[in-house]
Amino acid sequence: MPSARTSKSTGKTADAAQYVPEGADWAALRSAAAKCHGCELHKDASQTVFGEGPVPARLMMVGECPGDHEDTEGHVFVGPAGRLLDKAFKAARIDRSKTYLTNAVKHFRFTERGKRRIHQQPLRGQVVACFPWLREEIRVVRPRLVVVLGAVAAKAVLGPSFKLTEHRGEVLEHDGLRVGVTVHPSAVVRAENFGEAFDAFVADLLALKKPQKKA
């Protein structure tokens, strides 16, 4: 099972472990996560946004954290990045209904700008604090392939020193898991050359889902 692998922390750091019911099924995990105060993000977010999809599932995708739409609606990948991901799924012939989708961090991190809530990348300590939920999701989903979307998710699963740019489009073996690596769909949404970025993202998904040759 993967580890968040963080460096030594200063002082006492809260995490989600105390809220995670040992050996629980998915429904019990989701219910418990709704009451998680494992880091400070719960104070401002509207709700916990837990993963969704079939359990078990052959394919699991891990993003960064909920955005404004996800925080409001309580579902993963329903905002602009989610719509882009759906488009990429269609192009790569991936069935979303058969894919388990989640995030490394279950609460929205943002800064307020007038009436708008602007997404902020979660801090490393928040990723580590939330990791017990992701670990348990991997346990109950039992995916044959975990695809990490973006650097935050990649470092949550593969460790803080992992460099996404060096392994994009690759499938790695890590702590008994097959882990595919690509960018987060939000990076494609923001890309200056959208068409090129989208095609590259779809190419990654196609490469990652191919059966891997045994050595």
PDB file of all heavy atoms in Angstrom, residues 45-80:
ATOM      1  N   ALA A  45     -14.654  24.749   3.832  1.00  0.00           N
ATOM      2  CA  ALA A  45     -15.304  24.022   2.741  1.00  0.00           C
ATOM      3  C   ALA A  45     -16.766  23.741   3.085  1.00  0.00           C
ATOM      4  O   ALA A  45     -17.135  23.630   4.254  1.00  0.00           O
ATOM      5  CB  ALA A  45     -14.563  22.721   2.479  1.00  0.00           C
ATOM      6  N   SER A  46     -17.598  23.617   2.069  1.00  0.00           N
ATOM      7  CA  SER A  46     -19.018  23.331   2.288  1.00  0.00           C
ATOM      8  C   SER A  46     -19.242  21.909   2.776  1.00  0.00           C
ATOM      9  O   SER A  46     -20.137  21.652   3.583  1.00  0.00           O
ATOM     10  CB  SER A  46     -19.802  23.542   0.989  1.00  0.00           C
ATOM     11  OG  SER A  46     -19.664  24.859   0.524  1.00  0.00           O
ATOM     12  N   GLN A  47     -18.424  20.969   2.286  1.00  0.00           N
ATOM     13  CA  GLN A  47     -18.624  19.564   2.612  1.00  0.00           C
ATOM     14  C   GLN A  47     -17.423  18.746   2.172  1.00  0.00           C
ATOM     15  O   GLN A  47     -16.593  19.215   1.393  1.00  0.00           O
ATOM     16  CB  GLN A  47     -19.871  19.036   1.908  1.00  0.00           C
ATOM     17  CG  GLN A  47     -19.831  19.167   0.388  1.00  0.00           C
ATOM     18  CD  GLN A  47     -21.162  18.892  -0.248  1.00  0.00           C
ATOM     19  OE1 GLN A  47     -21.781  17.863   0.006  1.00  0.00           O
ATOM     20  NE2 GLN A  47     -21.637  19.819  -1.086  1.00  0.00           N
ATOM     21  N   THR A  48     -17.336  17.539   2.679  1.00  0.00           N
ATOM     22  CA  THR A  48     -16.358  16.570   2.194  1.00  0.00           C
ATOM     23  C   THR A  48     -16.827  16.073   0.835  1.00  0.00           C
ATOM     24  O   THR A  48     -18.002  15.771   0.647  1.00  0.00           O
ATOM     25  CB  THR A  48     -16.253  15.374   3.152  1.00  0.00           C
ATOM     26  OG1 THR A  48     -15.902  15.840   4.454  1.00  0.00           O
ATOM     27  CG2 THR A  48     -15.213  14.377   2.671  1.00  0.00           C
ATOM     28  N   VAL A  49     -15.906  16.000  -0.111  1.00  0.00           N
ATOM     29  CA  VAL A  49     -16.231  15.444  -1.428  1.00  0.00           C
ATOM     30  C   VAL A  49     -15.464  14.134  -1.582  1.00  0.00           C
ATOM     31  O   VAL A  49     -14.269  14.126  -1.893  1.00  0.00           O
ATOM     32  CB  VAL A  49     -15.889  16.424  -2.566  1.00  0.00           C
ATOM     33  CG1 VAL A  49     -16.306  15.833  -3.918  1.00  0.00           C
ATOM     34  CG2 VAL A  49     -16.569  17.765  -2.343  1.00  0.00           C
ATOM     35  N   PHE A  50     -16.154  13.028  -1.327  1.00  0.00           N
ATOM     36  CA  PHE A  50     -15.518  11.712  -1.362  1.00  0.00           C
ATOM     37  C   PHE A  50     -15.520  11.182  -2.797  1.00  0.00           C
ATOM     38  O   PHE A  50     -16.212  11.694  -3.676  1.00  0.00           O
ATOM     39  CB  PHE A  50     -16.278  10.751  -0.443  1.00  0.00           C
ATOM     40  CG  PHE A  50     -15.438   9.619   0.083  1.00  0.00           C
ATOM     41  CD1 PHE A  50     -14.369   9.862   0.938  1.00  0.00           C
ATOM     42  CD2 PHE A  50     -15.713   8.300  -0.260  1.00  0.00           C
ATOM     43  CE1 PHE A  50     -13.590   8.826   1.434  1.00  0.00           C
ATOM     44  CE2 PHE A  50     -14.948   7.253   0.230  1.00  0.00           C
ATOM     45  CZ  PHE A  50     -13.881   7.510   1.083  1.00  0.00           C
ATOM     46  N   GLY A  51     -14.733  10.146  -3.022  1.00  0.00           N
ATOM     47  CA  GLY A  51     -14.659   9.531  -4.335  1.00  0.00           C
ATOM     48  C   GLY A  51     -15.961   8.856  -4.725  1.00  0.00           C
ATOM     49  O   GLY A  51     -16.800   8.540  -3.879  1.00  0.00           O
ATOM     50  N   GLU A  52     -16.122   8.619  -6.029  1.00  0.00           N
ATOM     51  CA  GLU A  52     -17.338   8.007  -6.559  1.00  0.00           C
ATOM     52  C   GLU A  52     -17.003   7.066  -7.708  1.00  0.00           C
ATOM     53  O   GLU A  52     -16.033   7.276  -8.438  1.00  0.00           O
ATOM     54  CB  GLU A  52     -18.303   9.087  -7.082  1.00  0.00           C
ATOM     55  CG  GLU A  52     -18.803  10.029  -6.013  1.00  0.00           C
ATOM     56  CD  GLU A  52     -19.653  11.149  -6.582  1.00  0.00           C
ATOM     57  OE1 GLU A  52     -19.353  11.612  -7.714  1.00  0.00           O
ATOM     58  OE2 GLU A  52     -20.599  11.561  -5.907  1.00  0.00           O
ATOM     59  N   GLY A  53     -17.852   6.057  -7.858  1.00  0.00           N
ATOM     60  CA  GLY A  53     -17.682   5.118  -8.953  1.00  0.00           C
ATOM     61  C   GLY A  53     -17.903   3.695  -8.471  1.00  0.00           C
ATOM     62  O   GLY A  53     -18.232   3.465  -7.302  1.00  0.00           O
ATOM     63  N   PRO A  54     -17.738   2.736  -9.352  1.00  0.00           N
ATOM     64  CA  PRO A  54     -17.953   1.340  -8.974  1.00  0.00           C
ATOM     65  C   PRO A  54     -16.894   0.852  -7.993  1.00  0.00           C
ATOM     66  O   PRO A  54     -15.752   1.293  -8.031  1.00  0.00           O
ATOM     67  CB  PRO A  54     -17.849   0.590 -10.311  1.00  0.00           C
ATOM     68  CG  PRO A  54     -16.978   1.470 -11.162  1.00  0.00           C
ATOM     69  CD  PRO A  54     -17.318   2.870 -10.766  1.00  0.00           C
ATOM     70  N   VAL A  55     -17.316  -0.028  -7.109  1.00  0.00           N
ATOM     71  CA  VAL A  55     -16.399  -0.639  -6.132  1.00  0.00           C
ATOM     72  C   VAL A  55     -16.668  -2.144  -6.116  1.00  0.00           C
ATOM     73  O   VAL A  55     -17.769  -2.556  -5.756  1.00  0.00           O
ATOM     74  CB  VAL A  55     -16.628  -0.054  -4.719  1.00  0.00           C
ATOM     75  CG1 VAL A  55     -15.714  -0.735  -3.692  1.00  0.00           C
ATOM     76  CG2 VAL A  55     -16.392   1.455  -4.709  1.00  0.00           C
ATOM     77  N   PRO A  56     -15.723  -2.956  -6.551  1.00  0.00           N
ATOM     78  CA  PRO A  56     -14.382  -2.603  -7.037  1.00  0.00           C
ATOM     79  C   PRO A  56     -14.422  -2.036  -8.454  1.00  0.00           C
ATOM     80  O   PRO A  56     -15.449  -2.061  -9.117  1.00  0.00           O
ATOM     81  CB  PRO A  56     -13.638  -3.935  -6.991  1.00  0.00           C
ATOM     82  CG  PRO A  56     -14.700  -4.965  -7.240  1.00  0.00           C
ATOM     83  CD  PRO A  56     -15.934  -4.430  -6.547  1.00  0.00           C
ATOM     84  N   ALA A  57     -13.261  -1.537  -8.909  1.00  0.00           N
ATOM     85  CA  ALA A  57     -13.139  -1.002 -10.267  1.00  0.00           C
ATOM     86  C   ALA A  57     -11.750  -1.320 -10.807  1.00  0.00           C
ATOM     87  O   ALA A  57     -10.767  -1.291 -10.062  1.00  0.00           O
ATOM     88  CB  ALA A  57     -13.378   0.502 -10.271  1.00  0.00           C
ATOM     89  N   ARG A  58     -11.674  -1.579 -12.087  1.00  0.00           N
ATOM     90  CA  ARG A  58     -10.371  -1.861 -12.706  1.00  0.00           C
ATOM     91  C   ARG A  58      -9.505  -0.601 -12.776  1.00  0.00           C
ATOM     92  O   ARG A  58      -8.293  -0.666 -12.652  1.00  0.00           O
ATOM     93  CB  ARG A  58     -10.568  -2.416 -14.115  1.00  0.00           C
ATOM     94  CG  ARG A  58     -11.240  -3.774 -14.167  1.00  0.00           C
ATOM     95  CD  ARG A  58     -11.650  -4.133 -15.579  1.00  0.00           C
ATOM     96  NE  ARG A  58     -10.507  -4.260 -16.466  1.00  0.00           N
ATOM     97  CZ  ARG A  58      -9.872  -5.404 -16.721  1.00  0.00           C
ATOM     98  NH1 ARG A  58     -10.284  -6.525 -16.151  1.00  0.00           N
ATOM     99  NH2 ARG A  58      -8.848  -5.443 -17.547  1.00  0.00           N
ATOM    100  N   LEU A  59     -10.167   0.553 -12.991  1.00  0.00           N
ATOM    101  CA  LEU A  59      -9.452   1.813 -13.177  1.00  0.00           C
ATOM    102  C   LEU A  59      -9.866   2.829 -12.118  1.00  0.00           C
ATOM    103  O   LEU A  59     -11.048   3.051 -11.893  1.00  0.00           O
ATOM    104  CB  LEU A  59      -9.745   2.372 -14.576  1.00  0.00           C
ATOM    105  CG  LEU A  59      -9.123   3.732 -14.925  1.00  0.00           C
ATOM    106  CD1 LEU A  59      -7.600   3.670 -14.876  1.00  0.00           C
ATOM    107  CD2 LEU A  59      -9.593   4.177 -16.317  1.00  0.00           C
ATOM    108  N   MET A  60      -8.853   3.437 -11.495  1.00  0.00           N
ATOM    109  CA  MET A  60      -9.087   4.473 -10.489  1.00  0.00           C
ATOM    110  C   MET A  60      -8.274   5.696 -10.882  1.00  0.00           C
ATOM    111  O   MET A  60      -7.094   5.579 -11.232  1.00  0.00           O
ATOM    112  CB  MET A  60      -8.647   3.969  -9.117  1.00  0.00           C
ATOM    113  CG  MET A  60      -8.788   4.960  -7.981  1.00  0.00           C
ATOM    114  SD  MET A  60      -8.289   4.157  -6.412  1.00  0.00           S
ATOM    115  CE  MET A  60      -8.677   5.438  -5.237  1.00  0.00           C
ATOM    116  N   MET A  61      -8.917   6.864 -10.851  1.00  0.00           N
ATOM    117  CA  MET A  61      -8.216   8.095 -11.173  1.00  0.00           C
ATOM    118  C   MET A  61      -8.227   9.021  -9.967  1.00  0.00           C
ATOM    119  O   MET A  61      -9.266   9.222  -9.343  1.00  0.00           O
ATOM    120  CB  MET A  61      -8.856   8.782 -12.378  1.00  0.00           C
ATOM    121  CG  MET A  61      -8.700   7.990 -13.656  1.00  0.00           C
ATOM    122  SD  MET A  61      -8.708   9.038 -15.117  1.00  0.00           S
ATOM    123  CE  MET A  61      -8.141   7.866 -16.354  1.00  0.00           C
ATOM    124  N   VAL A  62      -7.060   9.590  -9.686  1.00  0.00           N
ATOM    125  CA  VAL A  62      -6.882  10.431  -8.502  1.00  0.00           C
ATOM    126  C   VAL A  62      -6.478  11.831  -8.927  1.00  0.00           C
ATOM    127  O   VAL A  62      -5.441  12.031  -9.563  1.00  0.00           O
ATOM    128  CB  VAL A  62      -5.805   9.850  -7.562  1.00  0.00           C
ATOM    129  CG1 VAL A  62      -5.686  10.710  -6.302  1.00  0.00           C
ATOM    130  CG2 VAL A  62      -6.119   8.407  -7.201  1.00  0.00           C
ATOM    131  N   GLY A  63      -7.318  12.815  -8.591  1.00  0.00           N
ATOM    132  CA  GLY A  63      -7.002  14.207  -8.865  1.00  0.00           C
ATOM    133  C   GLY A  63      -6.421  14.894  -7.644  1.00  0.00           C
ATOM    134  O   GLY A  63      -5.907  14.258  -6.726  1.00  0.00           O
ATOM    135  N   GLU A  64      -6.522  16.209  -7.627  1.00  0.00           N
ATOM    136  CA  GLU A  64      -5.890  17.016  -6.579  1.00  0.00           C
ATOM    137  C   GLU A  64      -6.818  17.248  -5.394  1.00  0.00           C
ATOM    138  O   GLU A  64      -6.645  16.676  -4.318  1.00  0.00           O
ATOM    139  CB  GLU A  64      -5.463  18.348  -7.189  1.00  0.00           C
ATOM    140  CG  GLU A  64      -4.833  19.315  -6.229  1.00  0.00           C
ATOM    141  CD  GLU A  64      -4.557  20.660  -6.888  1.00  0.00           C
ATOM    142  OE1 GLU A  64      -3.657  20.745  -7.747  1.00  0.00           O
ATOM    143  OE2 GLU A  64      -5.255  21.630  -6.548  1.00  0.00           O
ATOM    144  N   CYS A  65      -7.816  18.090  -5.581  1.00  0.00           N
ATOM    145  CA  CYS A  65      -8.803  18.386  -4.543  1.00  0.00           C
ATOM    146  C   CYS A  65     -10.053  18.924  -5.218  1.00  0.00           C
ATOM    147  O   CYS A  65     -10.009  19.298  -6.396  1.00  0.00           O
ATOM    148  CB  CYS A  65      -8.258  19.379  -3.510  1.00  0.00           C
ATOM    149  SG  CYS A  65      -8.127  21.086  -4.078  1.00  0.00           S
ATOM    150  N   PRO A  66     -11.174  18.954  -4.521  1.00  0.00           N
ATOM    151  CA  PRO A  66     -12.393  19.490  -5.138  1.00  0.00           C
ATOM    152  C   PRO A  66     -12.228  20.951  -5.519  1.00  0.00           C
ATOM    153  O   PRO A  66     -11.472  21.696  -4.899  1.00  0.00           O
ATOM    154  CB  PRO A  66     -13.439  19.335  -4.021  1.00  0.00           C
ATOM    155  CG  PRO A  66     -12.864  18.368  -3.053  1.00  0.00           C
ATOM    156  CD  PRO A  66     -11.388  18.534  -3.128  1.00  0.00           C
ATOM    157  N   GLY A  67     -12.954  21.355  -6.553  1.00  0.00           N
ATOM    158  CA  GLY A  67     -13.033  22.763  -6.922  1.00  0.00           C
ATOM    159  C   GLY A  67     -14.328  23.368  -6.416  1.00  0.00           C
ATOM    160  O   GLY A  67     -15.063  22.741  -5.637  1.00  0.00           O
ATOM    161  N   ASP A  68     -14.639  24.556  -6.883  1.00  0.00           N
ATOM    162  CA  ASP A  68     -15.827  25.251  -6.416  1.00  0.00           C
ATOM    163  C   ASP A  68     -17.108  24.478  -6.741  1.00  0.00           C
ATOM    164  O   ASP A  68     -17.996  24.335  -5.887  1.00  0.00           O
ATOM    165  CB  ASP A  68     -15.886  26.642  -7.054  1.00  0.00           C
ATOM    166  CG  ASP A  68     -17.060  27.459  -6.552  1.00  0.00           C
ATOM    167  OD1 ASP A  68     -17.071  27.814  -5.365  1.00  0.00           O
ATOM    168  OD2 ASP A  68     -17.992  27.725  -7.344  1.00  0.00           O
ATOM    169  N   HIS A  69     -17.226  23.971  -7.960  1.00  0.00           N
ATOM    170  CA  HIS A  69     -18.419  23.218  -8.337  1.00  0.00           C
ATOM    171  C   HIS A  69     -18.553  21.939  -7.514  1.00  0.00           C
ATOM    172  O   HIS A  69     -19.648  21.592  -7.058  1.00  0.00           O
ATOM    173  CB  HIS A  69     -18.379  22.860  -9.829  1.00  0.00           C
ATOM    174  CG  HIS A  69     -18.599  24.022 -10.740  1.00  0.00           C
ATOM    175  ND1 HIS A  69     -17.601  24.925 -11.060  1.00  0.00           N
ATOM    176  CD2 HIS A  69     -19.709  24.449 -11.404  1.00  0.00           C
ATOM    177  CE1 HIS A  69     -18.078  25.840 -11.875  1.00  0.00           C
ATOM    178  NE2 HIS A  69     -19.360  25.578 -12.104  1.00  0.00           N
ATOM    179  N   GLU A  70     -17.434  21.250  -7.332  1.00  0.00           N
ATOM    180  CA  GLU A  70     -17.461  19.998  -6.568  1.00  0.00           C
ATOM    181  C   GLU A  70     -17.842  20.249  -5.116  1.00  0.00           C
ATOM    182  O   GLU A  70     -18.616  19.488  -4.521  1.00  0.00           O
ATOM    183  CB  GLU A  70     -16.085  19.313  -6.646  1.00  0.00           C
ATOM    184  CG  GLU A  70     -15.730  18.731  -7.997  1.00  0.00           C
ATOM    185  CD  GLU A  70     -15.268  19.762  -9.022  1.00  0.00           C
ATOM    186  OE1 GLU A  70     -15.017  20.936  -8.638  1.00  0.00           O
ATOM    187  OE2 GLU A  70     -15.160  19.406 -10.199  1.00  0.00           O
ATOM    188  N   ASP A  71     -17.309  21.321  -4.556  1.00  0.00           N
ATOM    189  CA  ASP A  71     -17.613  21.664  -3.170  1.00  0.00           C
ATOM    190  C   ASP A  71     -19.089  21.993  -2.997  1.00  0.00           C
ATOM    191  O   ASP A  71     -19.714  21.626  -2.001  1.00  0.00           O
ATOM    192  CB  ASP A  71     -16.758  22.863  -2.749  1.00  0.00           C
ATOM    193  CG  ASP A  71     -17.031  23.307  -1.324  1.00  0.00           C
ATOM    194  OD1 ASP A  71     -16.695  22.549  -0.389  1.00  0.00           O
ATOM    195  OD2 ASP A  71     -17.587  24.401  -1.147  1.00  0.00           O
ATOM    196  N   THR A  72     -19.662  22.667  -3.967  1.00  0.00           N
ATOM    197  CA  THR A  72     -21.075  23.043  -3.899  1.00  0.00           C
ATOM    198  C   THR A  72     -21.994  21.853  -4.114  1.00  0.00           C
ATOM    199  O   THR A  72     -22.984  21.668  -3.395  1.00  0.00           O
ATOM    200  CB  THR A  72     -21.385  24.123  -4.957  1.00  0.00           C
ATOM    201  OG1 THR A  72     -20.570  25.272  -4.701  1.00  0.00           O
ATOM    202  CG2 THR A  72     -22.846  24.527  -4.908  1.00  0.00           C
ATOM    203  N   GLU A  73     -21.659  21.008  -5.095  1.00  0.00           N
ATOM    204  CA  GLU A  73     -22.536  19.903  -5.478  1.00  0.00           C
ATOM    205  C   GLU A  73     -22.250  18.604  -4.719  1.00  0.00           C
ATOM    206  O   GLU A  73     -23.103  17.713  -4.679  1.00  0.00           O
ATOM    207  CB  GLU A  73     -22.431  19.662  -6.979  1.00  0.00           C
ATOM    208  CG  GLU A  73     -22.858  20.866  -7.814  1.00  0.00           C
ATOM    209  CD  GLU A  73     -22.742  20.622  -9.304  1.00  0.00           C
ATOM    210  OE1 GLU A  73     -22.936  19.456  -9.734  1.00  0.00           O
ATOM    211  OE2 GLU A  73     -22.447  21.583 -10.048  1.00  0.00           O
ATOM    212  N   GLY A  74     -21.049  18.487  -4.150  1.00  0.00           N
ATOM    213  CA  GLY A  74     -20.718  17.284  -3.392  1.00  0.00           C
ATOM    214  C   GLY A  74     -20.317  16.097  -4.235  1.00  0.00           C
ATOM    215  O   GLY A  74     -20.348  14.951  -3.758  1.00  0.00           O
ATOM    216  N   HIS A  75     -19.925  16.336  -5.489  1.00  0.00           N
ATOM    217  CA  HIS A  75     -19.526  15.247  -6.386  1.00  0.00           C
ATOM    218  C   HIS A  75     -18.190  15.579  -7.036  1.00  0.00           C
ATOM    219  O   HIS A  75     -17.869  16.755  -7.268  1.00  0.00           O
ATOM    220  CB  HIS A  75     -20.585  15.019  -7.470  1.00  0.00           C
ATOM    221  CG  HIS A  75     -21.915  14.604  -6.929  1.00  0.00           C
ATOM    222  ND1 HIS A  75     -22.150  13.365  -6.378  1.00  0.00           N
ATOM    223  CD2 HIS A  75     -23.085  15.290  -6.847  1.00  0.00           C
ATOM    224  CE1 HIS A  75     -23.417  13.286  -5.985  1.00  0.00           C
ATOM    225  NE2 HIS A  75     -24.000  14.443  -6.244  1.00  0.00           N
ATOM    226  N   VAL A  76     -17.424  14.539  -7.362  1.00  0.00           N
ATOM    227  CA  VAL A  76     -16.097  14.734  -7.951  1.00  0.00           C
ATOM    228  C   VAL A  76     -16.182  15.039  -9.452  1.00  0.00           C
ATOM    229  O   VAL A  76     -17.065  14.530 -10.149  1.00  0.00           O
ATOM    230  CB  VAL A  76     -15.202  13.496  -7.732  1.00  0.00           C
ATOM    231  CG1 VAL A  76     -14.863  13.325  -6.273  1.00  0.00           C
ATOM    232  CG2 VAL A  76     -15.858  12.239  -8.291  1.00  0.00           C
ATOM    233  N   PHE A  77     -15.276  15.879  -9.917  1.00  0.00           N
ATOM    234  CA  PHE A  77     -15.093  16.173 -11.342  1.00  0.00           C
ATOM    235  C   PHE A  77     -16.398  16.553 -12.045  1.00  0.00           C
ATOM    236  O   PHE A  77     -16.788  15.941 -13.044  1.00  0.00           O
ATOM    237  CB  PHE A  77     -14.411  14.990 -12.041  1.00  0.00           C
ATOM    238  CG  PHE A  77     -12.954  14.859 -11.691  1.00  0.00           C
ATOM    239  CD1 PHE A  77     -12.533  13.914 -10.765  1.00  0.00           C
ATOM    240  CD2 PHE A  77     -12.008  15.697 -12.263  1.00  0.00           C
ATOM    241  CE1 PHE A  77     -11.191  13.798 -10.427  1.00  0.00           C
ATOM    242  CE2 PHE A  77     -10.661  15.584 -11.933  1.00  0.00           C
ATOM    243  CZ  PHE A  77     -10.251  14.640 -11.012  1.00  0.00           C
ATOM    244  N   VAL A  78     -17.061  17.586 -11.525  1.00  0.00           N
ATOM    245  CA  VAL A  78     -18.291  18.082 -12.146  1.00  0.00           C
ATOM    246  C   VAL A  78     -18.137  19.526 -12.653  1.00  0.00           C
ATOM    247  O   VAL A  78     -19.082  20.081 -13.213  1.00  0.00           O
ATOM    248  CB  VAL A  78     -19.498  17.990 -11.181  1.00  0.00           C
ATOM    249  CG1 VAL A  78     -19.855  16.546 -10.910  1.00  0.00           C
ATOM    250  CG2 VAL A  78     -19.231  18.743  -9.878  1.00  0.00           C
ATOM    251  N   GLY A  79     -16.957  20.117 -12.460  1.00  0.00           N
ATOM    252  CA  GLY A  79     -16.699  21.477 -12.924  1.00  0.00           C
ATOM    253  C   GLY A  79     -16.027  21.466 -14.289  1.00  0.00           C
ATOM    254  O   GLY A  79     -16.096  20.475 -15.027  1.00  0.00           O
ATOM    255  N   PRO A  80     -15.359  22.557 -14.659  1.00  0.00           N
ATOM    256  CA  PRO A  80     -14.695  22.640 -15.967  1.00  0.00           C
ATOM    257  C   PRO A  80     -13.687  21.515 -16.209  1.00  0.00           C
ATOM    258  O   PRO A  80     -13.625  20.955 -17.304  1.00  0.00           O
ATOM    259  CB  PRO A  80     -13.996  24.007 -15.910  1.00  0.00           C
ATOM    260  CG  PRO A  80     -14.837  24.814 -14.971  1.00  0.00           C
ATOM    261  CD  PRO A  80     -15.302  23.838 -13.926  1.00  0.00           C
TER     262      PRO A  80
END
